[in-house]
Amino acid sequence: MGSIDTPPTSSAENDSAVTATFSGNRIAPESDAMKKRKASILPLDVGTRVMCRWRDGKLHPVKVIERRKMHIGGPNDYEYYVHYTEFNRRLDEWVKLEQLDLDSVETVVDEKVEDKVTSLKMTRHQKRKIDETHVEGHEELDAASLREHEEFTKVKNIATIELGRYEIETWYFSPFPPEYNDCLKLYFCEFCLNFMKRKEQLQRHMRKCDLKHPPGDEIYRSGTLSMFEVDGKKNKVYGQNLCYLAKLFLDHKTLYYDVDLFLFYILCECDERGCHMVGYFSKEKHSEESYNLACILTLPPYQRKGYGKFLIAFSYELSKKENKVGTPERPLSDLGLLSYRGYWTRVLLDILKKHKGNISIKELSDMTAIKSEDILSTLQSLELIQYRKGQHVICADPKVLDRHLKAAGRGGLEVDVSKLIWTPYKEQG
């Protein structure tokens, strides 16, 4: 199962991707003008903008990020790594020449002008959809750092991974050691997270690997769900391998080597074969900024099942046990930010709906372990707060709360606090 389903392409769509035109049962040869145009623009330069046929069978605007010569073919036979300008970078991919509409090739134009034109052409609904997937999590990077990050990570180095019973398409670049530079696919042991180049290596490894769950302590078990706490200092290789794996699905900066200072919380689905990782979050052992979460990821095969919301809720339950308020480390990934907004909204609306009388932001923070700034920004986005006579006043009209709750959707899996057996790291020491 891949991370993105590929819809079947009809034969009609395939036919339309062919450059030659059909006349009855005969294929009309390319005109001299067409051949001349092809010769003049091929191979396409990096930076070229062109329309590309995507997996939905439709043409979408792309920018050429990189190109590579094909082993078989003529001097102009290249594959092109393209970025779909309407979508998040996770959909960037290598495409063949026949997927590109060469009649639509554009010369490079000023990007600010082009973005303005694109914005004018989009409907409000399209723009909202794109905005939702373009919160890249680079808010704290200056322009130079962002350019350097995008240049270094512009091409995905690993196309797919095998993890347990799933084959997963990757989303982003991850800085695996140089000896893996020529690998398009990696095979992971789903228990210790060691990775290999070949299936046979994985099979040999699985015969010797005696782990059936992540290393570390099981701190939560409810039904078939388990949570394990892994200390990065005690399980350094596991922590580093987890970071390599996670970076394939996270575009923002993450830790690769310095895992000693972190705790990893691995969420698993358990069956008779063992405990299979579905996602995780990490947190610093000691955070000066009150961060209760550093990185968060639900693996693609397990997304849209409520696990992301569960991981966020779990991080706040740990904060409550520590008698602290918490907030996620910035910058957040795009999906992480959307998940947090949803979580804060549901938790706060639920309390406001049940609470009788006035309640302050400080009281909400004490009840939920959510930082006051996150509560304030959430209530402001919902237009549930006003500034009167030098202080913030929460306006909790029941009908408005119901409307927002309906829009927020369901809350996902509940954390059964009675099943959490955990001692804060400071007390463990």
Side-chain angles (χ1 to χ4, degrees), residues 82 84 105 116 126 152 193 241 255 262 313 369 376 401 407:
V82 299
Y84 294 89
V105 169
K116 197 170 180 182
Q126 286 172 321
F152 182 66
L193 298 186
N241 290 346
L255 58 131
F262 287 83
L376 188 59
L401 293 180

Side-chain angles (χ1 to χ4, degrees), residues 2 8 15 35 40 46 116 142-143 149-150 177 191 199 221-222 268-269 272 302 305 315 328 345 357 369 388 399:
D15 292 345
K35 287 179 180 174
S40 67
V46 170
K116 197 170 180 182
D142 59 38
H149 167 82
E150 290 188 346
F191 300 118
K199 179 83 171 181
R221 171 74 71 104
S222 179
C268 298
E269 283 182 355
E272 66 283 352
Y302 300 98
K305 294 183 178 181
S315 71
T345 297
R388 294 180 190 162
K399 290 181 181 175

Side-chain angles (χ1 to χ4, degrees), residues 19-51:
T19 8
T21 56
F22 287 83
S23 174
N25 293 323
R26 299 193 313 275
I27 299 177
E30 284 183 336
S31 66
D32 289 342
M34 175 70 81
K35 287 179 180 174
K36 197 173 286 185
R37 173 167 166 74
K38 265 191 176 182
S40 67
I41 62 175
L42 291 178
L44 297 178
D45 291 326
V46 170
T48 300
R49 292 174 185 267
V50 62
M51 300 298 283

Side-chain angles (χ1 to χ4, degrees), residues 1-7 55 169:
M1 173 176 172
S3 58
I4 304 167
D5 293 330
T6 308
R55 57 193 71 188
E169 290 182 19

Side-chain angles (χ1 to χ4, degrees), residues 53-181:
R53 194 168 299 281
W54 193 47
R55 57 193 71 188
D56 62 358
K58 298 175 184 175
L59 290 170
H60 293 270
V62 300
K63 179 181 177 181
V64 175
I65 303 297
E66 192 58 271
R67 69 185 188 189
R68 66 186 180 196
K69 208 159 181 24
M70 296 179 71
H71 297 302
I72 305 168
N76 288 331
D77 287 334
Y78 283 80
E79 285 183 307
Y80 298 93
Y81 192 79
V82 299
H83 167 62
Y84 294 89
T85 56
E86 296 172 324
F87 304 128
N88 184 279
R89 285 208 313 156
R90 71 172 64 99
L91 298 182
D92 294 2
E93 63 180 349
W94 287 101
V95 299
K96 292 187 165 46
L97 182 62
E98 55 262 30
Q99 290 172 254
L100 304 174
D101 177 13
L102 296 181
D103 289 333
S104 67
V105 169
E106 296 176 19
T107 53
V108 178
V109 297
D110 182 77
E111 295 207 358
K112 288 181 182 173
V113 174
E114 187 182 39
D115 287 345
K116 197 170 180 182
V117 173
T118 307
S119 177
L120 290 171
K121 287 179 182 175
M122 284 189 286
T123 66
R124 189 180 302 165
H125 175 67
Q126 286 172 321
K127 188 156 192 340
R128 187 173 70 246
K129 280 188 74 176
I130 291 164
D131 286 345
E132 285 174 358
T133 57
H134 263 73
V135 187
E136 289 286 0
H138 297 304
E139 295 85 351
E140 295 182 2
L141 296 182
D142 59 38
S145 300
L146 184 56
R147 277 196 301 274
E148 185 181 351
H149 167 82
E150 290 188 346
E151 177 63 28
F152 182 66
T153 66
K154 66 183 180 180
V155 178
K156 272 183 278 195
N157 48 341
I158 308 295
T160 57
I161 62 166
E162 187 174 302
L163 181 73
R165 58 198 178 96
Y166 292 107
E167 183 177 83
I168 310 171
E169 290 182 19
T170 63
W171 293 357
Y172 302 113
F173 170 91
S174 182
F176 283 91
E179 59 265 33
Y180 296 90
N181 284 352

Side-chain angles (χ1 to χ4, degrees), residues 163-166 190-191 206 210-213 269-276 302:
L163 181 73
R165 58 198 178 96
Y166 292 107
E190 63 174 328
F191 300 118
M206 293 305 291
D210 53 5
L211 277 180
K212 294 299 174 190
H213 57 74
E269 283 182 355
C270 302
D271 58 24
E272 66 283 352
R273 295 186 301 114
C275 297
H276 314 282
Y302 300 98

